């Protein structure tokens, strides 16, 4: 490999001089960030973190192959998150060090000249940062990106008493990507097996390799906490351009029939009658699904799940809502809030309110404060007042990219 790595070069084929691969480390569980899924699969700006990160490397002209190291239980989630990008998935190990080594081993047949290792939870890496790191690795054999230390650094004793001030002019906060000659990094990992080193630069240093540093960016931060995730979401939305808020409304009715329970908001409620319908007849979730579909111009629930299709007979209505929310996510949007009213004389819903709201939180990912759930009657007027059925109406607001 000669000259400087630039963004307009053609990637070398696997096995040729100059070939470069990327290992994306995504095997952690991300518990400090909270949420229902590990942080690398959480959405920022309507897009999974992992997809955003992988996309930077997939679009870089110098990179010939990408390996994502994931938790063994997360393959389906990872494939859904990455989408159409050409990525090979490899199960991680018990530590970050083991996970990276697993990713490196899978590249053995490709035998790239260089390999980049990057944390999936750093989604604001840029092509420029990647290129600078590769340039330094070309000159020195190994390189990291980082940002100079600007805060004053203090040293303390075991009691927490300051014992001195550390000169900061040569201190850097290490980031990823980190780039290495592939065979050198493999050998360094094999030599460091069983040790607890915090990044691949430390593995390389332990093997006596020279590691250079190139400028990173404060924006290239690692998502660790819930606050980091919120910051990343704000940044992603700002980078995505103008956005709009759209509103949707849904209404649904089901008549009573034979049965011993009804289902509302996905919660089974004992009653001396059931509700008639092709699916589970959950009027509340049907109204909510229609509200979501309407807000994004995707028709109604019957268009997506026709009652003429036997596969939906008796189906749980949370499947319909998840489908609608998936369309929102695919459009780069997110649900902001919902307001749902169930209309019936009976059964009495107050005893089930908390369970219904918890289920809505689980299904939508919204916090309780963003969910309105009410039950009312029509003072014995109309079909609901006569106890002939249950109605529900819903309203939602959704944040979307402004593509008009």
């Amino acid at each position: 490999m000669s000259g400087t790595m630039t963004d307009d070069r053609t990637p070398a084929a696997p096995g040729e001089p100059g070939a470069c691969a990327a290992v994306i480390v995504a095997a952690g569980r991300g518990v400090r960030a909270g949420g229902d899924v590990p942080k690398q699969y959480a959405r920022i700006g309507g897009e999974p973190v992992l997809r955003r990160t992988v996309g930077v490397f997939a679009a870089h002209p110098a990179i010939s192959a990408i390996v994502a190291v994931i938790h063994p239980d997360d393959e389906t989630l990872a494939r859904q998150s990455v989408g159409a990008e050409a990525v090979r998935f490899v199960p991680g190990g018990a530590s970050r060090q083991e996970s990276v080594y697993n990713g490196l081993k899978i590249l053995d047949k490709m035998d790239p000249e260089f390999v980049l290792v990057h944390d999936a939870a750093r989604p604001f890496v840029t092509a420029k940062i990647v290129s600078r790191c590769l340039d330094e690795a070309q000159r020195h054999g190994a390189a990291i990106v980082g940002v100079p230390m600007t805060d004053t650094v203090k040293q303390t004793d075991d009691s927490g008493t300051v014992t001195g001030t550390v000169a900061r002019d040569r201190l850097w906060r290490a980031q990823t990507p980190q780039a290495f000659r592939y065979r050198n990094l493999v050998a360094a990992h094999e030599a460091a097996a069983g040790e607890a080193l915090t990044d691949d630069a430390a593995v390389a240093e332990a093997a006596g390799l020279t590691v250079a540093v190139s400028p990173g960016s404060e924006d290239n931060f690692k998502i660790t906490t819930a606050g980091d995730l919120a910051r990343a979401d704000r940044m992603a939305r700002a980078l995505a351009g103008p956005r709009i808020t759209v509103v949707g409304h849904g209404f649904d009715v089901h008549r009573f029939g034979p049965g011993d329970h009804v289902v509302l908001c996905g919660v089974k409620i004992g009653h001396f009658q059931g509700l008639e319908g092709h699916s589970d007849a959950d009027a509340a979730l049907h109204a909510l699904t229609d509200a979501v579909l309407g807000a994004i111009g995707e028709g109604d629930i019957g268009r997506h799940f026709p009652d003429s299709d036997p596969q939906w007979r008796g189906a749980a209505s949370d499947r319909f809502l998840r489908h609608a929310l998936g369309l929102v996510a695919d459009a780069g949007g997110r649900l902001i809030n919902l307001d749902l009213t169930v209309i019936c004389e009976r059964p009495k819903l107050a005893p089930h309110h908390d369970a219904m709201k918890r289920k809505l939180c689980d299904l939508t990912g919204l916090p309780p404060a963003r969910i309105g759930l009410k039950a009312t009657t029509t003072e014995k007027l109309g079909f609901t007042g006569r106890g002939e059925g249950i109605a529900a109406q819903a309203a939602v607001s959704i944040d979307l990219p402004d593509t008009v």
Side-chain angles (χ1 to χ4, degrees):
M1 187 174 183
S2 61
T4 299
M5 181 79 70
T6 59
D7 288 349
D8 58 356
R9 60 167 286 155
T10 301
E16 291 184 358
C20 179
V23 174
I24 310 298
V25 188
R29 308 316 287 152
V31 293
R32 282 181 287 174
D36 297 328
V37 295
K39 61 190 178 186
Q40 59 268 35
Y41 307 117
R43 290 181 178 269
I44 56 172
E47 179 182 36
V49 169
L50 181 60
R51 181 185 299 175
R52 184 181 184 90
T53 303
V54 166
V56 175
F57 291 86
H60 198 286
I63 295 172
S64 304
I66 300 174
V67 173
V69 187
I70 62 173
H71 191 279
D73 296 339
D74 290 346
E75 184 171 356
T76 298
L77 190 57
R79 291 188 184 281
Q80 291 172 343
S81 296
V82 169
E85 300 290 3
V87 177
R88 185 167 185 179
F89 295 101
V90 179
S95 66
R96 185 187 189 281
Q97 197 168 319
E98 289 182 27
S99 293
V100 172
Y101 184 54
N102 287 355
L104 295 173
K105 287 190 296 183
I106 211 71
L107 292 169
D108 183 71
K109 289 185 178 179
M110 175 186 171
D111 193 24
E113 183 175 0
F114 286 88
V115 63
L116 286 151
V117 182
H118 185 69
D119 297 322
R122 294 185 188 270
F124 297 103
V125 63
T126 65
K128 186 175 183 179
I129 289 174
V130 172
S131 293
R132 283 197 302 240
C133 188
L134 285 171
D135 286 346
E136 290 301 312
Q138 173 194 343
R139 284 189 281 267
H140 300 279
I144 67 170
V145 300
V147 290
M149 183 70 72
T150 57
D151 296 324
T152 298
V153 181
K154 299 293 184 181
Q155 187 173 22
T156 67
D157 60 20
D158 292 341
S159 69
T161 301
V162 173
T163 59
T165 300
V166 180
R168 66 188 181 193
D169 55 334
R170 294 186 179 181
L171 296 181
W172 292 70
R173 288 186 285 119
Q175 298 180 333
T176 64
Q178 301 182 352
F180 310 86
R181 291 193 179 277
Y182 171 69
R183 288 296 171 188
N184 288 353
L185 186 60
V186 171
H189 267 273
E190 290 172 348
E195 298 185 35
L197 302 175
T198 55
D199 70 354
D200 296 280
V203 173
E205 293 160 30
L209 300 178
T210 298
V211 181
V213 63
S214 66
S217 167
E218 292 290 351
D219 288 342
N220 186 31
F221 68 96
K222 185 176 182 179
I223 297 173
T224 303
T225 66
D228 295 334
L229 198 57
R231 174 189 173 192
D233 185 57
R234 291 192 298 270
M235 288 177 59
R237 293 184 185 284
L239 291 170
R243 301 184 70 84
I244 58 172
T245 299
V246 296
V247 175
H249 176 264
F251 181 79
D252 194 60
V253 172
H254 284 279
R255 71 171 68 243
F256 281 122
D260 60 4
H261 72 276
V262 300
V263 178
L264 293 170
C265 298
V267 175
K268 184 176 179 179
I269 298 170
H271 190 51
F272 65 89
Q273 291 177 297
L275 290 172
E276 295 181 356
H278 188 64
S279 63
D280 62 3
D282 188 332
L285 290 190
H286 291 181
L288 182 55
T289 301
D290 265 354
V292 173
L293 292 172
I296 59 175
E298 285 287 347
D300 61 21
I301 196 169
R303 172 183 163 189
H304 295 263
F305 305 98
D307 58 13
S308 58
D309 190 336
Q311 71 172 308
W312 308 122
R313 184 175 300 280
S317 295
D318 60 1
R319 295 175 65 182
F320 308 154
L321 180 59
R322 292 182 195 278
H323 170 77
L325 293 174
L327 294 177
V328 172
D330 290 343
R334 66 185 178 101
L335 184 65
I336 299 173
N337 78 307
L338 70 88
D339 192 13
L340 177 64
T341 302
V342 181
I343 308 164
C344 63
E345 293 290 334
R346 57 183 185 271
K348 297 300 181 184
L349 299 183
H352 308 283
H353 177 275
D354 291 349
M356 293 165 65
K357 190 161 185 174
R358 283 196 299 271
K359 186 66 173 180
L360 289 173
C361 289
D362 291 342
L363 290 173
T364 64
L366 291 175
R370 297 279 185 90
I371 293 177
L373 176 61
K374 307 177 293 295
T376 190
T377 71
T378 56
E379 299 294 334
K380 300 191 181 299
L381 298 174
F383 73 92
T384 58
R386 293 190 297 271
E388 296 172 2
I390 292 179
Q393 57 184 10
V396 301
S397 58
I398 293 173
D399 173 67
L400 284 175
D402 187 1
T403 57
V404 177

